[in-house]
Amino acid sequence: MLELITAYISCKGASPLACSERVRERGGLEIESLKEGESGSMSLNLKYISLGVLVFQTTSLVLTMRYSRTFKEEGPRYLASTAVVIAEMMKIAACLLLVYKDSSYSFKALNRVLQDEIINKPMDTLKLAIPSGIYTLQNNLLYVALSNLDAATYQVTYQLKVLTTAFFSVTMLGKNLGIYQWLSLLTLMAGVALVQWPTDTTEELKQELSAGSQFVGLIAVFSACLSSGFAGVYFEKILKGTKQSVWIRNIQLGLFGSIFGMMGVYVYDGQRIKEHGFFQGYNKFTWIVVILQALGGLVIAAVIKYADNILKGFATSLSIILSTLISYFWLQDFVPTSVFFFGAILVIIATFLYGYEPKNTSDPSKA
């Protein structure tokens, strides 16, 4: 507004046409400045909203999945394999809605996009079969892990996926890691080792969870970390080689994931389904887990778009802290120790350090 007043004052002695142009120019500059400010504010809001949703989704998924796998009720427990398939179908539906929105809410345009990008490019579509199969295996492993490990230990140990992702990024994509990233990986390994360190204070809990089940849980987490690192880097390599949208790629992943998932359902749980049905043991917690798992990929896509690595690391760290507290106070299946806290702190530091990018400082040139 001050710019407009200044423009009117400077019009004294000028022709009406020149005065009009001057006012329009000043007004346009102010409007443009306001638009840039609103855009920056909106981007900032989306950044923190996406991070908040990521913290909520990650924490609630781990806790509800753990609770749903350990909650004792009459009748058979729900099958993890069927939950994975339902989650994949929900992810496909969500991505179809997003593509429909990008197609100006036109079914004709949506059909054309799906024809052009999926059906008419069979080789590009088939490339997604490998990461999709690995992701399906990984999702099943997470159920196995949380059936045998408390939420806090799972959350911290699962951060080893940073290490496996870094390894495959170097070997498959030829990325160069900086000194901070190598240091963070060493810190991460030390932190996870401390979290798994046996202590006397957890003896009672270890009697409830046998050594065999603990071992199965850890093997499941390590396998999930390995599969997550490989599939993530492979998927990144495919994305860099094409111009298809992330939503189209997620639809392709979901289609193959549903096929592989259904194969797993009838190979491993076919007999149980014949006896008690596909949705045996499903309750409200099961459906919450399925919905949260389906939204996971979409939330991460939003974070990648609107946030940076530092804030993503902050969200991961906050999720670890919340999972630890809720696991202790609500689920009561975890007793924190000083060794665990020290290891968890190292993992949190490593998460921040891996995403840290030092600013390039250049000496000012002398005139």
Side-chain angles (χ1 to χ4, degrees):
M1 184 59 69
L2 183 61
E3 293 288 338
L4 291 174
I5 295 172
T6 307
Y8 276 110
I9 294 175
S10 63
C11 280
K12 290 183 178 179
S15 65
L17 181 60
C19 180
S20 176
E21 288 295 329
R22 201 170 298 172
V23 172
R24 190 181 299 112
E25 180 182 354
R26 293 291 181 92
L29 287 173
E30 183 179 359
I31 292 171
E32 190 67 29
S33 177
L34 287 172
K35 286 182 178 179
E36 290 179 0
E38 290 176 358
S39 176
S41 177
M42 184 179 296
S43 177
L44 187 65
N45 290 336
L46 288 173
K47 177 188 296 185
Y48 289 109
I49 288 172
S50 63
L51 284 170
V53 172
L54 177 62
V55 172
F56 172 79
Q57 187 270 341
T58 305
T59 307
S60 56
L61 174 60
V62 171
L63 295 171
T64 52
M65 188 182 291
R66 169 65 179 171
Y67 183 76
S68 69
R69 300 303 290 172
T70 57
F71 178 69
K72 295 180 181 179
E73 62 178 0
E74 295 181 1
R77 187 167 62 177
Y78 75 92
L79 302 174
S81 57
T82 62
V84 171
V85 171
I86 299 300
E88 290 295 331
M89 292 180 176
M90 284 186 176
K91 185 172 70 175
I92 294 173
C95 290
L96 283 173
L97 287 175
L98 290 168
V99 176
Y100 176 64
K101 174 181 173 293
D102 292 339
S103 303
S104 302
Y105 301 100
S106 169
F107 282 107
K108 187 176 181 180
L110 172 64
N111 182 58
R112 185 169 60 250
V113 170
L114 296 178
Q115 286 274 352
D116 293 341
E117 300 297 336
I118 298 178
I119 298 175
N120 295 338
K121 296 179 180 179
M123 295 308 298
D124 286 344
T125 301
L126 284 173
K127 290 179 182 178
L128 274 296
I130 295 176
S132 179
I134 297 173
Y135 278 133
T136 304
L137 173 64
Q138 175 193 335
N139 289 333
N140 281 280
L141 287 171
L142 297 185
Y143 280 96
V144 175
L146 280 165
S147 298
N148 297 280
L149 292 174
D150 60 84
T153 302
Y154 162 82
Q155 271 282 65
V156 177
T157 308
Y158 191 48
Q159 299 313 308
L160 277 177
K161 63 185 178 180
V162 176
L163 175 64
T164 59
T165 302
F167 172 77
F168 288 115
S169 295
V170 171
T171 55
M172 293 174 61
L173 299 179
K175 286 187 177 181
N176 295 319
L177 301 182
I179 182 66
Y180 290 103
Q181 290 171 314
W182 284 114
L183 183 60
S184 73
L185 295 179
L186 293 174
T187 307
L188 177 67
M189 287 189 291
V192 172
L194 286 174
V195 166
Q196 303 301 331
W197 197 268
T199 57
D200 295 334
T201 52
T202 57
E203 194 64 30
E204 294 181 0
L205 285 175
K206 286 189 176 180
Q207 289 177 359
E208 295 179 9
L209 283 173
S210 66
S213 64
Q214 288 267 330
F215 180 75
V216 169
L218 290 175
I219 292 298
V221 173
F222 293 147
S223 301
C225 290
L226 192 65
S227 61
S228 174
F230 177 79
V233 173
Y234 188 93
F235 187 47
E236 181 182 349
K237 190 174 183 179
I238 292 176
L239 284 178
K240 288 183 176 180
T242 61
K243 295 181 180 179
Q244 287 180 322
S245 72
V246 177
W247 311 130
I248 291 292
R249 286 304 190 189
N250 272 288
I251 292 173
Q252 293 168 319
L253 283 175
L255 289 173
F256 284 115
S258 300
I259 294 171
F260 291 133
M262 288 301 296
M263 290 170 60
V265 165
Y266 286 101
V267 169
Y268 295 103
D269 297 315
Q271 187 60 38
R272 295 181 185 178
I273 290 175
K274 287 180 181 178
E275 294 175 0
H276 303 287
F278 191 88
F279 294 101
Q280 59 180 282
Y282 273 60
N283 54 37
K284 60 181 180 181
F285 293 106
T286 309
W287 286 109
I288 291 173
V289 169
V290 170
I291 293 171
L292 289 172
Q293 195 171 33
L295 293 177
L298 305 180
V299 172
I300 291 175
V303 171
I304 292 173
K305 182 176 182 180
Y306 296 113
D308 53 26
N309 286 329
I310 298 294
L311 289 174
K312 187 180 177 183
F314 175 77
T316 302
S317 304
L318 186 57
S319 178
I320 291 174
I321 294 170
L322 288 174
S323 297
T324 302
L325 293 174
I326 297 175
S327 183
Y328 174 65
F329 288 106
W330 180 41
L331 298 180
Q332 297 180 351
D333 61 354
F334 169 71
V335 177
T337 64
S338 57
V339 176
F340 177 90
F341 274 122
F342 184 60
I345 289 171
L346 287 181
V347 171
I348 290 172
I349 292 172
T351 306
F352 275 105
L353 199 58
Y354 189 81
Y356 176 70
E357 296 178 2
K359 296 180 180 180
N360 294 325
T361 55
S362 56
D363 294 329
S365 57
K366 296 181 180 179

